[in-house]
Amino acid sequence: MFDWLRKIWNKDGTADTGKPVRTKTKRTHNLFEAAAVYVAASVEDDQDTMDEATEWVSPEALSFGVSELACRAVIALARERDESPRDVARTLLGLPAA
């Protein structure tokens, strides 16, 4: 007799509307996304965004991501300029040629 009622009620006592339940879960970020946001915010002097990016991953992961971003940027610039990565890195840091 109450079979239809049991079908629309969940075990936890809430009604089953047939619609997916939305839960507020925090979006996860990977270390490369965190590094990109952190570095871009640093360039723009945006401390709030930098602080936000530091919460996404561990300090070690963020450090690795920033290092990887730096390596990729130096490689890309070296190819674009047809120079060695060492020369590009030294130029970017304002160091004299080796």
Side-chain angles (χ1 to χ4, degrees):
M1 180 170 160
F2 292 103
D3 207 25
W4 63 273
L5 187 57
R6 266 185 264 137
K7 289 180 181 176
I8 64 168
W9 286 93
N10 292 325
K11 290 180 182 180
D12 64 357
T14 60
D16 185 5
T17 62
K19 297 178 183 175
V21 178
R22 289 189 180 198
T23 58
K24 291 189 176 188
T25 56
K26 204 172 191 181
R27 181 174 173 260
T28 59
H29 301 273
N30 68 41
L31 65 101
F32 297 116
E33 183 179 15
V37 169
Y38 183 85
V39 169
S42 178
V43 169
E44 296 169 351
D45 199 26
D46 182 355
Q47 188 63 47
D48 291 336
T49 304
M50 289 172 60
D51 292 342
E52 181 182 349
T54 60
E55 295 173 1
W56 295 348
V57 295
S58 70
E60 295 82 10
L62 183 61
S63 177
F64 175 79
V66 169
S67 177
E68 185 67 21
L69 179 60
C71 289
R72 292 179 186 193
V74 168
I75 290 168
L77 282 172
R79 289 178 181 160
E80 184 178 293
R81 296 177 181 182
D82 197 29
E83 296 178 13
S84 73
R86 174 181 280 186
D87 291 342
V88 170
R90 294 184 68 83
T91 300
L92 289 172
L93 293 172
L95 299 173

